[in-house]
Amino acid sequence: MAQEQHLRSLEKRITDRELPATAFTTTPMAHQLEGLCKLYYFHRYALFWEAGVGKTKPVVDLLGMLPGERALVVTQRAVVNNWVNEVARHSGGKLRAVGLTGSNQAKRKVIAAHKDYDVVVASYGTARTLGTGTLAPSTVNTLRTLV
């Protein structure tokens, strides 16, 4: 019972917090605002929401509130390009996103130019394959700077 009350009070403290003044390019839904608040105040928070619920928007809004910050998004291969499109849509073109797609050579070119982007989106397979010690040390170090 005490643990349940603690969790309820924690949830209330999270949702009662105010976010810095920001102009949203697209209007967030209530659950997206709550997710954004959690991401903003709890830096190790993750959105483990079902597919199609709207995870992209809170992440884009968070990056819009943190100028100069970058993000590495690791997701299913089928939605890599969707994430790139949604970043452009929800940021009004203010954030630059790129997907790691194509040949390994093409992916390595994007990784080498990662500082040109605010968001780099990779599939689980790409992160696993290009994120191992079999790569050149410079590529591994570049990937580490993204997180």
Side-chain angles (χ1 to χ4, degrees):
M1 187 67 157
Q3 183 180 12
E4 190 175 314
Q5 287 175 334
H6 172 71
L7 291 174
R8 281 195 194 120
S9 71
L10 178 62
E11 188 68 25
K12 182 170 178 21
R13 285 183 303 200
I14 291 169
T15 57
D16 284 350
R17 292 179 187 238
E18 291 186 19
L19 293 168
T22 186
F24 295 113
T25 302
T26 56
T27 305
M29 292 183 264
H31 73 281
Q32 290 172 322
L33 274 175
E34 184 176 334
L36 174 60
C37 195
K38 290 176 182 178
L39 289 170
Y40 185 78
Y41 285 102
F42 301 97
H43 304 288
R44 292 179 183 225
Y45 187 81
L47 298 175
F48 293 111
W49 297 348
E50 294 291 327
V53 174
K55 294 176 288 291
T56 310
K57 172 123 180 80
V59 171
V60 170
D61 290 341
L62 178 68
L63 288 172
M65 295 165 58
L66 304 171
E69 293 295 323
R70 293 179 295 174
L72 171 63
V73 174
V74 181
T75 188
Q76 299 171 20
R77 183 177 66 166
V79 296
V80 168
N81 289 327
N82 186 59
W83 263 89
V84 172
N85 295 335
E86 291 292 300
V87 167
R89 178 176 160 235
H90 292 302
S91 73
K94 294 175 187 164
L95 296 176
R96 297 157 309 191
V98 65
L100 293 177
T101 59
S103 68
N104 282 346
Q105 182 180 11
K107 292 174 187 177
R108 286 187 179 107
K109 283 183 182 178
V110 171
I111 291 169
H114 74 279
K115 291 183 180 178
D116 295 339
Y117 303 100
D118 302 298
V119 182
V120 175
V121 186
S123 68
Y124 299 121
T126 296
R128 182 179 60 248
T129 304
L130 295 183
T132 65
T134 60
L135 294 175
S138 61
T139 302
V140 173
N141 289 334
T142 300
L143 285 171
R144 286 184 180 138
T145 66
L146 291 171
V147 290

